[in-house]
Amino acid sequence: MLAERTIDPLGRGIHLSKDLAKVLKIVDASGLPYCLTPFGTCIEGDWDQVMELVKRCHTLAKSFSHHVMTSIQIEDEEGAKNKLEENVAAVERLAGHKLSRLAHKVAEVEV
């Protein structure tokens, strides 16, 4: 299962990086494959693993904000594996080339 999770601690201003970094520590420590995006985090695992992780992230966000909005989008395809990479790779195969990703742009800037 692949889930995209977005957590918005409301009432904390417009710069949420410090709060979200705390939440990402939980995701990173979970051992589940994940990908941070500019708008959320994609997490791959079975239903119970992912839902427990989302719950832990939401609970932590509630510890520093009295009003938290958590959104979850789920792709649940029986037998599917490695959806974090395969979903993008499938589109790239059809496009006939690698598509732009932030990691590529960062690498180009660092060179």
Side-chain angles (χ1 to χ4, degrees):
M1 174 177 114
L2 183 62
E4 182 177 39
R5 171 264 326 122
T6 302
I7 293 182
D8 294 313
L10 302 176
R12 305 272 297 166
I14 60 171
H15 300 288
L16 301 174
S17 299
K18 185 175 179 181
D19 292 340
L20 296 176
K22 293 175 190 174
V23 173
L24 260 294
K25 285 182 181 181
I26 291 174
V27 175
D28 194 50
S30 75
L32 293 177
Y34 72 95
C35 178
L36 177 63
T37 74
F39 290 109
T41 306
C42 295
I43 305 165
E44 191 165 0
D46 71 33
W47 181 272
D48 291 335
Q49 292 172 314
V50 172
M51 289 301 131
E52 175 59 29
L53 182 55
V54 169
K55 179 181 177 181
R56 289 177 52 217
C57 292
H58 182 86
T59 300
L60 178 62
K62 284 284 292 179
S63 75
F64 48 79
S65 178
H66 70 282
H67 190 180
V68 175
M69 297 283 292
T70 296
S71 300
I72 309 167
Q73 201 171 298
I74 296 170
E75 179 185 10
D76 194 3
E77 181 181 358
E78 190 171 328
K81 301 280 187 212
N82 197 24
K83 297 298 287 185
L84 280 172
E85 293 182 19
E86 186 51 37
N87 282 6
V88 174
V91 174
E92 289 178 334
R93 282 192 296 273
L94 292 170
H97 62 89
K98 292 258 185 212
L99 299 171
S100 178
R101 297 186 199 177
L102 182 59
H104 295 171
K105 292 186 185 286
V106 170
E108 291 170 8
V109 171
E110 292 175 348
V111 172

